[in-house]
Amino acid sequence: MKFIFEVHIREGHTAEEYADAWVRASEIIQQAPGARGTELHRKIGDPNTLIAIASWESKEQRDAMEGQHNPEVAAIIRSAAPFVDIKPIGEFEDPEWVVRPQ
């Protein structure tokens, strides 16, 4: 499954500032059972908007990770909060339909 959210960088800050916090928190979170990686994409034409994608084997495993408070991850997230607005887009199943080039 994929957990997807949109990140807006506030004026006076950069996507690189957020990416630093994202990587530090992700390195810890990715140690949880079921974690399958994270991605951070910059929106074309808008360098202050990002889309973040966290991949998990299952929603249950992601929820289990969320249920275990990690003070280091919480501190990293708090450190980034003053310069971003985060809007959850949603939780999505892995694709049922995929078309790839031959």
Side-chain angles (χ1 to χ4, degrees), residues 20-35:
D20 176 66
W22 169 263
V23 168
R24 287 185 290 124
S26 290
E27 287 174 341
I28 298 165
I29 293 167
Q30 289 305 301
Q31 296 173 33

Side-chain angles (χ1 to χ4, degrees), residues 53-81:
I53 303 168
S55 298
W56 291 86
E57 287 180 21
S58 71
K59 180 174 174 9
E60 292 76 21
Q61 288 174 309
R62 183 189 180 281
D63 290 349
M65 178 279 303
E66 283 284 318
Q68 296 189 8
H69 178 72
N70 181 310
E72 189 175 359
V73 171
I76 293 167
I77 291 169
R78 276 194 310 275
S79 75

Side-chain angles (χ1 to χ4, degrees), residues 6-11 13-16 41-51:
E6 190 173 72
V7 179
H8 292 275
I9 309 300
R10 292 184 184 158
E11 190 172 332
H13 296 279
T14 67
E16 287 73 18
H41 300 258
R42 193 183 310 257
K43 185 175 183 179
I44 295 171
D46 183 356
N48 291 322
T49 299
L50 311 171
I51 192 163

